[in-house]
Amino acid sequence: MAYTVDFNTVSTVGLESSPVAAALAGLRANEARYFKNKYDHVFTVEPAAKARKIIERVHRILEEERGIVIASPPLEATSFKVEDIQWSYVFYESGLSINVLYQLEEPKKRAVGFKLCDGMEVPAELASFKFARQKSKLAGTIRGSYFVIKGEY
């Protein structure tokens, strides 16, 4: 069942199996607040079992662009279009969040972003990336990194 993320009341719904569920819920709420404030978009996620196509697309981009295979199981995912950008998000049990920004028209900005929530170590498959820190009232300290997508997906 789809879950509308409430950034006013942070909830671990759908993320309970994560050892960092509260921090991951804060990270998810932080993303929901961003999209509401910037695009007036309501951030809704689905359980991984119902979002297989989204997860497969994100994993395909990771594998083909950088040879990255995420070890942690996905818990939730979402995909939506705002303005001319297709966004996809996958939230993992480890506390990792991956987003794909895929601009559909010119100029084509396309990138994969990684965010690590408080309390998790950098996964081995992302050890080559440098992570910048940002503070969030909802998520504590978020560490983020990204790479530019070169291919067409």
Side-chain angles (χ1 to χ4, degrees), residues 66 68 122-131 145:
R66 295 291 179 100
I68 297 170
V122 175
E125 58 270 31
L126 303 180
S128 65
F129 289 89
K130 295 209 182 283
F131 287 86
S145 192

Side-chain angles (χ1 to χ4, degrees), residues 115-135:
K115 290 187 180 174
L116 311 176
C117 72
D118 255 349
M120 76 168 288
E121 296 297 320
V122 175
E125 58 270 31
L126 303 180
S128 65
F129 289 89
K130 295 209 182 283
F131 287 86
R133 294 179 186 274
Q134 77 180 64
K135 291 280 187 187

Side-chain angles (χ1 to χ4, degrees), residues 33-96:
R33 181 178 59 194
Y34 170 80
F35 282 99
K36 183 64 176 168
N37 291 342
K38 181 157 180 140
Y39 300 108
D40 196 31
H41 172 78
V42 176
F43 199 85
T44 304
V45 293
E46 293 183 304
K50 293 190 175 195
R52 292 196 192 286
K53 286 186 180 182
I54 298 166
I55 295 165
E56 287 170 4
R57 179 175 176 266
V58 170
H59 286 180
R60 180 177 157 230
I61 292 169
L62 292 171
E63 176 88 40
E64 291 182 14
E65 290 284 325
R66 295 291 179 100
I68 297 170
V69 176
I70 303 300
S72 181
L75 297 177
E76 296 180 330
T78 186
S79 189
F80 53 90
K81 183 180 171 192
V82 288
E83 296 178 358
D84 74 325
I85 301 171
Q86 181 69 42
W87 290 90
S88 299
Y89 273 82
V90 181
F91 295 92
Y92 295 87
E93 190 173 67
S94 65
L96 171 67

